[in-house]
DNA sequence: GTTAATTTTTAGGTTAGCCTAAAAATTGTA
DNA sequence: TACAATTTTTAGGCTAACCTAAAAATTAAC
């Protein structure tokens, strides 16, 4: 009844990480955009644990050679750590795509499911769904899917809806929010990747926009997480 | 970053079980064939833990009202416990079927994958794959899949290959073994659910049989786990 | 450049799930 | 029915991953 999925790193040595450890590495990657140092507090916030727990776990990951930790200065990933993070990100995004394309989920219903599945699928599962979907390069939120050899497809630096000048419009390319609350709001407003949105004007901290023939107010922090491309 | 899948029992009260607990309940179900008492040792063997660990966990499950434990006398499932076990069995067998039918796995490559996935898929996932496959009633090993309302389809009491008299033949209906070693052996011999097998004679503890035009020797303990039906 | 605010770490504690070794209960046997 | 063998439980430990509260380091503000 042992069930832990054993992964191998590039040198072929056995790497057995807990799901918690995989989550830490993934969040360090996301917060540090792959390369930068990440603070204990930011990480604690993302992982919904206390800073003290982060310090402890980061120490363990450092011993495993997955992160570099300069006390009081932040953590960053080593090459092996980066690979684990990218593997998780690839699993997550492939799974989201799979849930939408093959199992008929809504694009805003896939995050939590992928979050649990990403830690337990095998290389075979990963390869089969990737193949079945024709090796997709974007997930349903518009995020790029790392390739099988774990490189991240390069992207044009994107512009958020919040930065778009009043009067201009664009197409929603990526939704950088996965929490229930914001996804539900987008759903109610009829916004999804591919939607065309026009900025009318800033109203205080919020933004008045038009989409799908209707105009409405969008909270500023959400507008900052909607990445646009030209039409 | 809390990720535990929350399930609800029939009264609607929150039921949050660990994967370990789900495994215990599933094995108690399998060993006790749904109703009988199961000994500490047998359970420990199946779960690959020590008897002392079983005693401890069984105590916890009893407190949760999922099993009844008479000290020194064995454990059995309560109705809630039975439902959890059937839910896991349904997940497991649906997943195995899904992996074979939709992702092109071999029937002998699905067990370990299903073993990990069964604990983390949502009700939605379960419903979607069941629907996509037309609500199958048997998994790739020939085992019955519990229905969505968690009842186990009744079955004719089966006869094992070991019980089949010499000279007679039948069709392999169910393979009651999921370990790598035995599955690989069956694979090498070209045996799979649906194969026609003729018993030639007992040779000591083993059994000489003919299938696919070839004759070979099958270990007795394996023959006891191959369930046959008439041709 | 001190001092105050913030961030990070340390110290000490908890729980689940496992373990080994020893004690207790049950079962099998003469 | 007594004694031996087996099974089960108890007692005491360990580790991973969390926690709170207090101490230490860094950063920001005057």
């Amino acid at each position: 009844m042992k069930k832990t999925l054993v992964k191998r790193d590039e040198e072929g040595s056995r790497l057995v990480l807990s799901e918690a450890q995989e989550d830490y590495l993934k969040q360090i990657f996301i917060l540090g955009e792959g390369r930068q140092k990440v603070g204990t507090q930011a990480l604690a916030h993302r992982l919904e644990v206390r800073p003290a727990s982060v310090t402890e776990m980061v120490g363990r990951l450092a011993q495993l050679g997955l992160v570099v930790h300069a006390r009081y200065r932040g953590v960053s990933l080593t090459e092996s750590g980066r690979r684990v993070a990218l593997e998780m990100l690839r699993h997550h995004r492939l799974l989201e795509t799979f849930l939408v394309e093959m199992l008929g989920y809504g694009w805003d219903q896939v995050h939590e499911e992928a979050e649990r599945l990403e830690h337990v699928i095998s290389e075979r599962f990963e390869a089969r769904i990737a193949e079945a979907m024709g090796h997709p390069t974007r997930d349903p939120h518009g995020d790029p899917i790392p390739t099988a050899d774990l490189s991240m497809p390069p992207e044009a630096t994107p512009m958020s809806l919040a930065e778009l000048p009043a009067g201009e419009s664009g197409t929603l390319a990526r939704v950088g929010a996965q929490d229930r609350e914001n996804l539900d709001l987008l759903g109610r407003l009829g916004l999804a990747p591919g939607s065309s949105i026009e900025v009318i004007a800033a109203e205080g901290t919020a933004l008045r926009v038009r989409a799908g023939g209707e105009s409405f107010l969008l909270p500023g922090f959400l507008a900052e997480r909607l990445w646009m491309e030209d039409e």
Side-chain angles (χ1 to χ4, degrees), chain A:
Chain A
M1 205 86 314
K2 70 195 126 199
K3 20 61 181 311
T4 337
L5 186 57
V6 174
K7 288 140 189 173
R8 286 175 172 279
D9 71 11
E10 70 277 34
E11 292 94 35
S13 59
R14 255 195 214 80
L15 238 204
V16 186
L17 300 183
S18 67
E19 301 196 1
Q21 292 175 324
E22 291 176 341
D23 279 335
Y24 275 81
L25 294 171
K26 189 175 75 161
Q27 291 304 331
I28 293 169
F29 183 94
I30 292 172
L31 283 172
E33 279 151 358
R35 310 238 163 251
Q36 282 137 258
K37 283 187 183 169
V38 171
T40 303
Q41 192 137 240
L43 201 42
H45 187 247
R46 279 301 195 101
L47 292 161
E48 292 176 40
V49 298
R50 303 280 127 176
S53 307
V54 169
T55 302
E56 191 189 30
M57 178 65 97
V58 157
R60 241 172 287 160
L61 293 172
Q63 287 221 310
L64 292 170
L66 297 163
V67 302
V68 175
H69 186 211
R71 351 173 49 238
Y72 292 99
R73 291 270 126 97
V75 233
S76 56
L77 297 172
T78 62
E79 195 45 38
S80 335
R82 233 176 86 83
R83 293 174 64 85
V84 174
L86 280 164
E87 179 92 36
M88 286 308 109
L89 223 45
R90 174 166 164 84
H91 285 184
H92 185 95
R93 294 180 179 172
L94 271 180
L95 281 162
E96 290 192 333
T97 314
F98 164 77
L99 292 171
V100 168
E101 297 206 349
M102 299 190 66
L103 295 187
Y105 278 57
W107 73 278
D108 55 348
Q109 300 173 324
V110 294
H111 181 71
E112 293 91 337
E113 191 94 59
E115 200 70 18
R116 291 188 309 271
L117 288 165
E118 64 186 12
H119 303 290
V120 303
I121 66 171
S122 66
E123 290 294 298
R124 177 181 274 137
F125 192 103
E126 175 194 321
R128 295 294 162 96
I129 63 174
E131 204 192 326
M133 297 187 295
H135 303 283
T137 59
R138 300 254 157 201
D139 77 9
H141 303 95
D143 294 321
I145 302 174
T147 58
D149 67 352
L150 300 181
S151 62
M152 189 59 119
E155 302 196 80
T157 48
M159 172 175 274
S160 82
L161 180 59
E163 301 167 85
L164 210 63
E168 304 224 353
S169 61
T171 301
L172 180 52
R174 297 175 57 179
V175 176
Q178 318 93 326
D179 52 300
R180 256 291 52 79
E181 213 167 330
N182 283 313
L183 291 179
D184 284 348
L185 175 58
L186 291 173
R188 283 197 301 280
L189 298 176
L191 293 180
S195 299
S196 174
I197 310 177
E198 181 194 346
V199 175
I200 300 176
E203 289 191 16
T205 166
L207 204 64
R208 178 157 294 276
V209 302
R210 181 187 313 278
E214 286 187 87
S215 118
F216 40 75
L217 219 48
L218 215 57
F221 67 87
L222 183 52
E224 283 169 25
R225 281 173 189 72
L226 301 180
W227 305 101
M228 311 298 292
E229 53 190 28
D230 294 340
E231 289 182 299

